Amino acid sequence: MASLQDIRRRIDSTKKTSQITSAMQMVSSSKLAQIQKHTSGYLDYANHVEAIVAHLAFAHLLDKQNGDAIPFLTQRPIQTTAILVITSDRGLVGGYNNQVLKQTDLLMQEQKLTKDNTVIFAIGGKGADYYVKKGYTIAFEDRDVTDVPRFWEVSELVKEITKQYAAHKFDALELVFNHFVNRLQNQVLNQQVLPIRAENFKRDNNGNLLADKYKDQPISYEFEPAPESLLKAVLPQFAQSLLYGAILDAKTAEHAASANAMQAATDNARDLISRLELKYNRARQAAITTEITEITGGMAALQ
């Protein structure tokens, strides 16, 4: 049986752990509030870009373009698939990383992707290390992304992806990341970003495009310069906005997962402290009872 000193030592150690996890939970909550504020501003820009592309889609302008001239629209045979995997650099985020890696492995299994026809773009060390160990080609990785990433921080990765797609280095881009639903819930999403398809546009619960405010308007364009020049400028921005938006979304989910994991750890530590204190008090009472019994027995022997 553990001595009173051992139990006391465990109580003190657990209290220190509880203080650390509680502080980490507050830090993660603060980061979550910061990135939510930043993301709300960025979404205004992303929604405007999406509305422009959706408006062009309603005008059937995308259908009329030569896919060879505008590679982001090209529905070419898929020989090589790229996957952008967004994870964290560190642990202490609950099942955040495992969910993403499990979904990525499932995607590969469903599409029969192998080391020979798959390239990995990785944001976060956990995903990069996981697929390096499995022998996959890492085309680009970005570690130590800040808590509230700005576009210029990840622009090299985002632009490299769109550049390689335009150069036919791969034929489709899949994106796997944790979507922030609310403070207590994340959802793993898998979506094909490139080539740009109707599925890329956000829809409501009824399946209607969120840009449907244009659907009842007569759509007619006069272009200066040519439509091809406009699309060459707009479509890369749309693809990049999808990728950067996913990075912000995943980082938001990461902070929420970290806050929840630290809150759970703090609660568990407090429960353990309560049990240890109860055990300590019982052991102390037993020790006192033993001492009283010994004193009483000694007095009786002297009489």
Side-chain angles (χ1 to χ4, degrees):
M1 182 178 179
S3 66
L4 288 174
Q5 185 177 6
D6 292 336
I7 298 174
R8 184 76 261 171
R9 190 178 294 114
R10 284 193 64 191
I11 291 173
D12 293 340
S13 175
T14 307
K15 283 183 177 180
K16 292 178 181 178
T17 301
S18 175
Q19 292 171 354
I20 293 172
T21 55
S22 179
M24 294 175 68
Q25 186 269 331
M26 289 188 289
V27 170
S28 295
S29 296
S30 176
K31 293 176 180 178
L32 176 60
Q34 292 176 29
I35 196 170
Q36 284 181 302
K37 183 178 180 180
H38 172 72
T39 301
S40 64
Y42 169 76
L43 287 177
D44 290 337
Y45 161 78
N47 289 335
H48 279 302
V49 174
E50 181 170 358
I52 292 172
V53 178
H55 202 183
L56 297 176
F58 281 123
H60 302 288
L61 187 62
L62 304 185
D63 303 335
K64 302 173 185 177
Q65 297 305 309
N66 181 357
D68 294 331
I70 306 176
F72 292 97
L73 298 176
T74 306
Q75 304 286 335
R76 55 192 185 231
I78 298 177
Q79 298 178 346
T80 302
T81 299
I83 304 177
L84 174 58
V85 183
I86 306 177
T87 59
S88 69
D89 288 305
R90 303 168 187 83
L92 302 179
V93 287
Y96 176 87
N97 293 316
N98 289 336
Q99 292 169 358
V100 172
L101 298 176
K102 182 178 179 181
Q103 178 60 39
T104 306
D105 287 342
L106 180 61
L107 169 67
M108 292 180 178
Q109 181 180 350
E110 290 175 347
Q111 297 192 8
K112 295 181 173 57
L113 301 179
T114 66
K115 301 173 187 178
D116 299 324
N117 61 4
T118 307
V119 295
I120 301 292
F121 291 89
I123 291 182
K126 293 293 185 180
D129 293 340
Y130 178 79
Y131 285 105
V132 165
K133 291 179 180 177
K134 296 187 73 172
Y136 283 85
T137 300
I138 306 297
F140 195 102
E141 64 178 270
D142 195 349
R143 298 172 183 256
D144 297 322
V145 175
T146 57
D147 296 321
V148 185
R150 309 292 175 173
F151 181 80
W152 61 265
E153 296 178 57
V154 296
S155 62
E156 186 178 358
L157 169 66
V158 172
K159 292 178 180 178
E160 182 65 21
I161 289 174
T162 53
K163 177 182 175 182
Q164 289 195 25
Y165 179 78
H168 292 210
K169 294 294 181 65
F170 55 87
D171 306 300
L173 174 67
E174 298 282 350
L175 178 60
V176 185
F177 67 101
N178 259 311
H179 164 60
F180 175 77
V181 179
N182 54 50
R183 174 64 184 269
L184 300 176
Q185 183 182 3
N186 295 329
Q187 178 186 3
V188 180
L189 292 185
N190 166 215
Q191 64 185 80
Q192 183 177 314
V193 177
L194 294 174
I196 293 174
R197 306 175 303 173
E199 289 82 353
N200 293 127
F201 302 121
K202 297 186 183 72
R203 298 175 181 270
D204 60 23
N205 293 332
N206 296 321
N208 300 315
L209 290 171
L210 296 185
D212 263 0
K213 60 184 178 181
Y214 298 116
K215 68 180 181 179
D216 296 324
Q217 300 179 13
I219 298 174
S220 178
Y221 289 95
E222 291 183 5
F223 289 99
E224 181 63 36
E228 182 178 301
S229 299
L230 173 65
L231 293 174
K232 282 183 177 180
V234 172
L235 293 181
Q237 290 187 46
F238 176 54
Q240 291 170 10
S241 72
L242 288 176
L243 295 174
Y244 179 56
I247 294 170
L248 286 177
D249 195 359
K251 204 67 177 177
T252 305
E254 179 186 335
H255 294 322
S258 176
N260 292 335
M262 292 303 98
Q263 182 62 58
T266 302
D267 293 341
N268 290 337
R270 289 171 179 168
D271 290 342
L272 179 58
I273 290 169
S274 297
R275 293 196 298 271
L276 288 172
E277 287 179 339
L278 178 61
K279 184 177 180 180
Y280 177 84
N281 290 332
R282 286 177 175 174
R284 187 181 177 195
Q285 290 172 356
I288 293 172
T289 302
T290 300
E291 291 178 5
I292 293 175
T293 301
E294 291 174 350
I295 293 172
T296 303
M299 292 177 60
L302 293 175
Q303 291 178 353

